[in-house]
Amino acid sequence: MDESARSPATPSAESVLQRLEWTVLRRLDGLLQGDYRTLWRGTGLDLADLREYQHHDDVRHIDWNVTARLQVPHVREFTEDREMSAWFLLDLSGSIDFGAQRSKRSVSAEFVTVLARLLTRHGNRVGAVFYGSQVDAVLPPRTGRSHVLNLLQRLRAHAAPQAAAQRETRLGDLLQRAATMIPRRSMVFVVSDFISAPGWADAMARLAQRHEVLAVRLYDEMELDLPDLGLVTLQDAETGEQLLVDTHDPGFRERFARIAEAREDELHAAFTRAGVDTLELTTDDDLGEALLRFVELRRQRARASHGGGMAAHLRPLVGAPRSAA
């Protein structure tokens, strides 16, 4: 969309970013009290030292050559490069324009903007891949506020495909493209309502083998529980197909709820198969609260990655007496 054609009543990207910085980021700063150590983990590791294994050390850091030579388990200690790259894989297909109070697209834009600003303020780079009915554009990772503003402007300007020209959403195509173009280990946010052709879970699992992946699922409560609105025309946002339904009919609403529940079960099973963490955002979510849920996910992930136990075949080594010098 041409910026000059934007309605005067529509806030500029700069004013939206300023509002989010003032209302959400300042609130997060106060709640986190500057403690971002558990949130961002870099990918560069430099060997700093070797020492004996201690209870609760990560077994992945055991140096097997030294352990075999000394007959006492030793682990490597690293200094970690805190700088990281993050990528947003953005589903901007027709279905994310749905929402009773505000659209899933609006929720996506605000979440991505705040998280991108939070990352870049700490020296990290963010990039984005835009998907309508196919991968439409790629924004290479950079840092800085101006880059976040560019990301927001491009996100807001990216029009949803027209229903007549819209193909079935295939998130697998987006995930496969990301797997080939993201060169180094990164944090990847897949922001979508996951209304898609099947098969994307396998592609997400392959992506998660190399990168740290978070599925950010967008939805509106009306997609789960249709209220009594009388006769309404429902339209598929992606195909344009329309259907007149009587939502006053309890039987129809019950069938709708059963189908929605079955889809929820399938969706969460797919996330489990893919082996990724999930953050769910509703269209009436408080963005600050949603980001705090993300913070807690990161903390849980950090605790899990450092909580490895000793392998059974190493326990005799730990308890064995040392040979005399």
Side-chain angles (χ1 to χ4, degrees), residues 117-311:
R117 187 69 188 111
L118 193 60
L119 281 159
T120 56
R121 286 198 316 178
H122 292 82
N124 304 296
R125 300 178 302 159
V126 298
V129 183
F130 301 84
Y131 178 94
S133 57
Q134 59 185 359
V135 174
D136 300 320
V138 176
L139 183 65
R142 294 188 178 89
T143 191
R145 187 179 187 277
S146 60
H147 180 61
V148 176
L149 187 60
N150 183 30
L151 170 59
L152 175 58
Q153 288 172 330
R154 294 182 65 163
L155 206 162
R156 283 157 52 95
H158 192 287
Q162 295 297 317
Q166 167 78 323
R167 300 185 305 169
E168 182 181 29
T169 298
R170 304 185 68 88
L171 284 179
D173 294 348
L174 170 61
L175 298 167
Q176 289 169 10
R177 175 71 178 276
T180 62
M181 63 172 290
I182 302 178
R184 55 177 291 188
R185 180 172 173 82
S186 303
M187 186 161 190
V188 179
F189 300 89
V190 185
V191 187
S192 172
D193 58 9
F194 293 91
I195 298 176
S196 166
W200 56 264
D202 292 338
M204 182 175 281
R206 288 191 293 271
L207 189 67
Q209 289 175 357
R210 183 173 185 182
H211 305 284
E212 188 170 354
V213 179
L214 177 71
V216 183
R217 188 265 182 116
L218 311 167
Y219 70 98
D220 187 277
E221 291 292 347
M222 285 184 63
E223 294 174 318
L224 307 181
D225 185 15
L226 193 63
D228 183 354
L229 301 172
L231 281 172
V232 296
T233 300
L234 301 181
Q235 176 173 313
D236 188 316
E238 301 197 349
T239 66
E241 181 181 358
Q242 294 185 341
L243 181 66
L244 182 65
V245 299
D246 182 9
T247 61
H248 184 64
D249 179 3
F252 173 80
R253 295 201 307 276
E254 182 180 343
R255 292 192 300 275
F256 182 94
R258 282 202 306 269
I259 293 172
E261 183 178 2
R263 181 182 179 273
E264 287 293 293
D265 291 342
E266 292 174 2
L267 186 58
H268 290 105
F271 289 139
T272 300
R273 288 199 310 275
V276 300
D277 290 330
T278 309
L279 178 66
E280 300 205 322
L281 298 179
T282 70
T283 53
D284 60 355
D285 235 330
D286 178 276
L287 185 56
E289 293 296 327
L291 284 162
L292 287 176
R293 294 200 301 273
F294 164 69
V295 169
E296 184 56 31
L297 272 175
R298 295 293 293 164
R299 285 176 173 157
Q300 290 174 5
R301 175 61 63 186
R303 287 195 293 267
S305 67
H306 288 89
M310 171 64 78

Side-chain angles (χ1 to χ4, degrees), residues 53 58-64 67 73-76 310-311 314:
Y53 177 92
D58 191 333
V59 295
R60 292 173 297 181
H61 294 164
I62 290 177
D63 188 311
W64 297 106
T67 297
H74 277 67
V75 293
R76 297 172 178 175
M310 171 64 78
L314 291 176

Side-chain angles (χ1 to χ4, degrees), residues 19-166:
R19 172 178 61 82
L20 293 172
E21 288 174 329
W22 182 259
T23 60
V24 181
L25 279 174
R26 281 173 60 91
R27 178 184 171 194
L28 282 176
D29 285 339
L31 292 170
L32 295 176
Q33 298 179 342
D35 180 18
Y36 294 93
R37 285 178 57 84
T38 58
L39 300 187
W40 323 125
R41 296 178 58 82
T43 56
L45 295 174
D46 295 321
L47 180 63
D49 198 6
L50 284 167
R51 61 170 173 77
E52 287 189 24
Y53 177 92
Q54 298 176 3
H55 187 53
H56 293 314
D57 280 341
D58 191 333
V59 295
R60 292 173 297 181
H61 294 164
I62 290 177
D63 188 311
W64 297 106
N65 290 330
V66 174
T67 297
R69 187 169 66 250
L70 300 180
Q71 291 296 296
V72 176
H74 277 67
V75 293
R76 297 172 178 175
E77 288 189 318
F78 298 93
T79 56
E80 186 176 31
D81 176 11
R82 286 286 169 179
E83 181 180 325
M84 63 170 285
S85 294
W87 284 84
F88 295 97
L89 309 187
L90 302 174
D91 174 9
L92 301 173
S93 58
S95 62
I96 74 155
D97 283 319
F98 179 76
Q101 301 300 323
R102 58 176 179 155
S103 69
K104 290 178 280 187
R105 179 186 293 267
S106 174
V107 175
S108 173
E110 292 194 356
F111 173 81
V112 168
T113 300
V114 170
L115 199 50
R117 187 69 188 111
L118 193 60
L119 281 159
T120 56
R121 286 198 316 178
H122 292 82
N124 304 296
R125 300 178 302 159
V126 298
V129 183
F130 301 84
Y131 178 94
S133 57
Q134 59 185 359
V135 174
D136 300 320
V138 176
L139 183 65
R142 294 188 178 89
T143 191
R145 187 179 187 277
S146 60
H147 180 61
V148 176
L149 187 60
N150 183 30
L151 170 59
L152 175 58
Q153 288 172 330
R154 294 182 65 163
L155 206 162
R156 283 157 52 95
H158 192 287
Q162 295 297 317
Q166 167 78 323

